Amino acid sequence: MSNEEREALLAEVENAMRLSTVRGIFFHQAVAQRAGMTASDLNCVNILVAEGPLTAGQLAVRVGLTRGGAITSALDRLEKAGYVVRERDPADRRQVLIRHTDAVIARLEPLLTGFLTQWTEIATSRTDHELRVLLDYFQRSNEAVGSAIAALQER
């Protein structure tokens, strides 16, 4: 591959990534709206589903709700809707952990089914090697975005 062809390919990948990010944001907003929650509330749920129970402080850092009572407001809304529960940490009774409920999974699952079916078809059509390359790419991209967010928040 020539340098020009490689540069063109890198530009295509960059544009595809940019478009994927924008569409991901729009999809996320549409799911949140249909589920009757804010995008920040859905971010909280997604983090809890992915990582398991967290303290309010840990969750706030992961979703960027570190100022004021934003995380408390989000958790109050989610708890009122039956989507999260606050429980004492069995390992340290002084701490309270936030856990997602089966009710939020039941609410979100029908909204995600069509997308997840298509995504599964795309993913399962890839070889193990291709999946490892994709996994590496996404893990590194997520780290880069995390660093970029941290740098922007420091300013």
Side-chain angles (χ1 to χ4, degrees):
M1 178 178 287
S2 72
N3 283 343
E4 288 177 1
E5 290 171 322
R6 181 162 175 81
E7 286 179 23
L9 179 58
L10 286 169
E12 282 187 63
V13 169
E14 181 181 344
N15 285 334
M17 182 177 64
R18 183 176 289 117
L19 184 58
S20 177
T21 299
V22 170
R23 286 189 175 164
I25 291 167
F26 289 156
F27 179 70
H28 183 83
Q29 291 171 334
V31 168
Q33 185 177 12
R34 287 291 300 269
M37 60 178 76
T38 69
S40 290
D41 292 353
L42 184 56
N43 287 340
C44 290
V45 169
N46 282 331
I47 294 294
L48 292 171
V49 170
E51 297 188 26
L54 297 168
T55 66
Q58 292 168 328
L59 184 60
V61 168
R62 283 168 176 76
V63 297
L65 295 177
T66 56
R67 295 199 190 336
I71 192 66
T72 301
S73 295
L75 293 175
D76 287 348
R77 284 189 303 273
L78 290 167
E79 188 174 44
K80 183 177 180 184
Y83 295 159
V84 301
V85 292
R86 293 172 166 115
E87 302 173 329
R88 290 274 172 211
D89 182 346
D92 181 352
R93 302 287 297 159
R94 295 170 295 171
Q95 295 227 3
V96 174
L97 295 176
I98 312 303
R99 179 181 56 79
H100 75 278
T101 65
D102 291 340
V104 75
I105 300 299
R107 178 70 181 115
L108 295 175
E109 200 169 73
L111 303 175
L112 302 173
T113 300
F115 167 73
L116 292 176
T117 298
Q118 291 179 8
W119 182 89
T120 300
E121 289 173 7
I122 294 166
T124 57
S125 71
R126 302 292 174 225
T127 66
D128 291 351
H129 174 73
E130 289 172 323
L131 290 174
R132 284 187 193 94
V133 169
L134 286 169
L135 178 60
D136 177 66
Y137 174 82
F138 284 116
Q139 288 173 335
R140 288 174 167 213
S141 292
N142 287 336
E143 288 174 16
V145 169
S147 296
I149 291 168
L152 288 168
Q153 290 174 338
E154 289 176 4
R155 295 181 184 179

